Amino acid sequence: MRLSLLCLCVLPSCVHLFTTRVDYTASAPAPSVGGSTFRAEFIPKGAESGLALSAGVIGGATVSEIGPYQVRLHAFGQSGDQRTFRVTSFTLTSPGNFTAPMEPRGFEGRAEFKPTQTTGRNRASLLLGPWFRLDEYRDRELLIEAGVEVTRRGGVTRGSLRIPLKQTKTSRRDSHFLLNELWQDIRGVEDPVIEALPPAPESAE
C-alpha cells in the first residue's frame, strides 16, 4: 500500500472534468393567467461523456449534459391571492421538427402556492411526468403551449400559456485530485448526496 501511494505521489494526479450544460430558457416575457406569471424549467436527466489526455495530466473527462429532459412548470403569484393551479393540456413543439402533445396522466394533480423568500410573493411548482428526448443540433428552439386553471381567493381563472424557448449552453471545469480522493476512499469518507432535482427559482425575474 505504501509503495502504491508513493508511486502516485511522483505522478501528475489531477483530472479536469469539463461539463457543458445544454438548457432551454424563455425567449419572451412570462405569460400570466389568474394573476400568476408562469415559467418553465428544463431539467437534464442524462449525459454524454468522453476522455481526453493532455501533457502533465493523467486524464481529462468531458461531459455534455444533453437530456433527456423533464419539465417543471412554476407559477408565481401574490400572497393571499392564489391557492393552487393545475394543467389541463400541454404540448411541446420544436418548430418544423415535431409536435408532442402530453397525455393527461403526465400532468395530473394540483400544485399548491406557498410563500417564497420574497415578501408578498408565493410560488407553486408542478413537475410533469414524461421525459423529452431532444436533439442538441436540430431542436434549438421550442414552444410550450398549455392550458392552466388557477384557483384564487375569489374563484377559478382558466387560460392558456404560450412559452417560446431558445437553447442555451453553459460550461464549467472541475478539478479532481486523485490522491485526495484516494485518501478519502481509504478513510471511508463518502461524497455528499446530490439532490435529484435543482431547487426552483425564488422569483420570476
Side-chain angles (χ1 to χ4, degrees), residues 150-162:
V150 180
T151 301
R152 309 178 67 179
R153 181 176 52 186
V156 176
T157 303
R158 298 177 180 85
S160 58
L161 305 176
R162 183 181 173 87

Side-chain angles (χ1 to χ4, degrees), residues 10-166:
V10 298
L11 292 173
S13 56
C14 182
V15 172
H16 298 287
L17 180 66
F18 299 89
T19 303
T20 299
R21 177 179 174 128
V22 181
D23 206 346
Y24 290 87
T25 57
S27 56
S32 178
V33 173
S36 303
T37 54
F38 285 80
R39 291 187 181 275
E41 175 188 9
F42 275 70
I43 304 167
K45 309 297 292 186
E48 286 189 351
S49 61
L51 180 68
L53 299 177
S54 60
V57 178
I58 288 180
T62 60
V63 176
S64 179
E65 299 176 337
I66 61 170
Y69 295 90
Q70 194 170 15
V71 177
R72 183 160 48 188
L73 198 61
H74 302 281
F76 300 87
Q78 293 75 42
S79 298
D81 188 351
Q82 292 80 10
R83 300 289 189 262
T84 64
F85 88 86
R86 73 182 186 96
V87 177
T88 58
S89 65
F90 187 95
T91 301
L92 179 67
T93 302
S94 174
N97 297 320
F98 70 82
T99 298
M102 186 181 293
E103 295 184 6
R105 62 183 180 180
F107 48 78
E108 290 178 338
R110 291 180 179 271
E112 181 181 354
F113 282 85
K114 297 180 180 180
T116 69
Q117 295 178 1
T118 303
T119 303
R121 300 280 286 172
N122 59 17
R123 181 189 70 234
S125 302
L126 183 65
L127 182 66
L128 307 185
W131 293 9
F132 293 98
R133 294 188 177 276
L134 303 174
D135 187 296
E136 177 183 356
Y137 302 101
R138 182 194 63 189
D139 304 322
R140 296 181 182 274
E141 295 186 359
L142 299 175
L143 174 65
I144 288 177
E145 295 176 290
V148 296
E149 180 182 279
V150 180
T151 301
R152 309 178 67 179
R153 181 176 52 186
V156 176
T157 303
R158 298 177 180 85
S160 58
L161 305 176
R162 183 181 173 87
I163 307 176
L165 305 110
K166 288 187 176 181

